[in-house]
Amino acid sequence: MLINKMLYVIKKDLSALEEGLQAEVHSDVPLITEMGRHLIAAGGKRLRPALYFLAARSDKNYNIKHALPLAITIELIHMASLVHDDVLDNAMTRRGVPTANARWGNNISILGGDFLFARAFALIAGMGYDQRILVRLASVICGLSEGEIHQNELHYKIRTESQYNDAIAKKTADFIAASCEIGGIVAGLSPKETDALYSFGKNLGMAFQVTDDILDLISNDKKLGKPAGNDILQGIITLPVLRALNTAAEKDELYCLITNKDITREQVQRAVEIVRQSDGIAYARAAVEKYIENAKNDIPASLPHTIRESFWKVADYVIKRDF
């Protein structure tokens, strides 16, 4: 995991997270355990729990035993949401390996995702965590569902940039923001500091998702772990494409391609080519740079130096990553 290698300060925390995940996906039903272990083995950046750990370590009396259950909960919620996403998108691969639905079908995958959601909250029930944390996590899950439903309604339809921003906030940024905020609450930081951490996470999450949308257009299957141009194939209109619809010389052709529910792989590649030849990628990159600038400005000056530096490294990673 790149995050593990990059952030030495939470290396032990992330190792404990992996062990905890293995324990929590265990079920008396062997198929559920098999699915859970498959999802863990597929890897991932562990970005959300990493940010949570960083914020939680702002507490000079940091206690891994107290902090760990919430980190596991955060990652279980993320894993569950991805399982459900893959069912909705009919995705066959993620991170270069078969999705749960590709291996076990949609019905089992949905139930498996439900199990992970339930396990996440069961893990922290009765542990005495601040009530704000439970409220925030519930809000995140509601937002994930709302975002997916809204996005599904707009498949193969042109949305405004404002609608795009709202969608990626619910899909990605709000969860990353909550992870930072929750870590601050666990650390006993002031409301001003936890609000700043939430804002940092929100800007970082927006940058993360826009970068994902750029990579879908410029990267290759091997790096992405899924087919390039997949968003267009699924009818998801992202920021670079929205920009190209306004500025590309072939914008009329692009419009016809991306609103066609029967678009072929060859037509997807043509649409990608049009976007690449426009200023859509550059426009989206500029948005990422602004989000990262705002995120760095949000990092509370009161945090320990090593924690501030680590948050800064994560921001740099997001803007430079190529997968």
Side-chain angles (χ1 to χ4, degrees):
M1 289 181 297
L2 181 59
I3 292 292
N4 198 328
K5 294 177 182 178
M6 183 175 64
L7 302 177
Y8 182 80
V9 67
I10 58 169
K11 186 175 182 179
K12 291 182 179 178
D13 298 324
L14 290 172
S15 294
L17 170 69
E18 294 303 309
E19 293 178 10
L21 286 171
Q22 291 287 347
E24 290 304 322
V25 299
H26 177 77
S27 167
D28 292 338
V29 178
L31 182 55
I32 293 178
T33 304
E34 183 183 358
M35 184 186 301
R37 289 177 177 169
H38 170 79
L39 296 171
I40 294 169
K45 301 174 182 67
R46 306 294 192 248
L47 177 63
R48 291 154 187 81
L51 290 167
Y52 159 78
F53 276 133
L54 281 177
R57 274 195 170 271
S58 299
D59 183 0
K60 62 181 180 180
N61 297 315
Y62 176 78
N63 183 339
I64 180 62
K65 290 183 179 179
H66 178 67
L68 182 59
L70 265 169
I72 298 171
T73 290
I74 287 169
E75 189 62 18
L76 286 175
I77 291 172
H78 180 53
M79 287 168 55
S81 70
L82 294 183
V83 171
H84 286 175
D85 284 356
D86 289 338
V87 170
L88 290 170
D89 297 339
N90 196 30
M92 294 293 104
T93 60
R94 181 181 285 275
R95 301 167 184 151
V97 299
T99 56
N101 51 295
R103 287 195 59 175
W104 294 287
N106 289 345
N107 292 344
I108 295 297
S109 296
I110 290 170
L111 292 171
D114 291 345
F115 173 86
L116 294 176
F117 275 129
R119 181 71 92 192
F121 278 95
L123 178 60
I124 58 174
M127 289 197 64
Y129 287 119
D130 191 305
Q131 188 69 19
R132 289 176 294 169
I133 293 174
L134 302 180
V135 171
R136 179 61 80 187
L137 288 174
S139 176
V140 163
I141 294 176
C142 288
L144 288 170
S145 300
E146 291 168 349
E148 283 297 330
I149 290 171
H150 182 62
Q151 180 169 279
N152 189 66
E153 290 177 333
L154 290 173
H155 277 185
Y156 303 101
K157 297 177 183 176
I158 307 304
R159 51 183 169 177
T160 65
E161 193 168 322
S162 176
Q163 288 175 318
Y164 167 81
N165 289 332
D166 288 344
I168 68 172
K170 289 182 180 295
K171 178 179 179 181
T172 302
D174 288 347
F175 195 0
I176 291 176
S179 300
C180 297
E181 177 193 33
I182 290 169
I185 293 173
V186 168
L189 300 183
S190 69
K192 181 178 180 180
E193 290 167 319
T194 56
D195 287 349
L197 285 172
Y198 185 90
S199 184
F200 165 82
K202 183 71 172 278
N203 279 299
L204 187 79
M206 296 295 284
F208 189 92
Q209 186 58 53
V210 176
T211 300
D212 256 9
D213 296 342
I214 293 171
L215 293 176
D216 183 70
L217 295 162
I218 67 172
S219 195
N220 55 53
D221 294 18
K222 185 176 180 180
K223 278 192 174 183
L224 287 176
K226 58 184 178 180
N230 207 48
D231 286 338
I232 291 175
L233 183 65
Q234 295 174 355
I236 301 171
I237 314 302
T238 59
L239 184 60
V241 180
L242 287 173
R243 176 66 176 181
L245 282 170
N246 289 322
T247 62
E250 304 90 347
K251 58 186 178 183
D252 292 339
E253 180 185 357
L254 179 62
Y255 176 88
C256 292
L257 289 169
I258 64 176
T259 56
N260 176 15
K261 295 181 180 180
D262 299 316
I263 189 170
T264 64
R265 270 287 169 195
E266 291 74 20
Q267 290 172 323
V268 166
Q269 290 310 306
R270 173 55 183 157
V272 168
E273 180 184 344
I274 294 173
V275 176
R276 287 177 176 176
Q277 291 174 349
S278 75
D279 67 345
I281 303 296
Y283 181 82
R285 285 198 187 281
V288 170
E289 290 172 1
K290 184 61 178 176
Y291 283 129
I292 293 298
E293 178 186 351
N294 291 339
K296 289 179 174 180
N297 289 334
D298 286 328
I299 303 172
S302 56
L303 298 184
H305 173 72
T306 54
I307 302 302
R308 281 181 52 81
E309 185 178 59
S310 295
F311 276 126
W312 194 280
K313 285 181 180 178
V314 174
D316 284 339
Y317 155 72
V318 168
I319 201 169
K320 294 175 183 176
R321 72 189 181 95
D322 60 357
F323 66 95

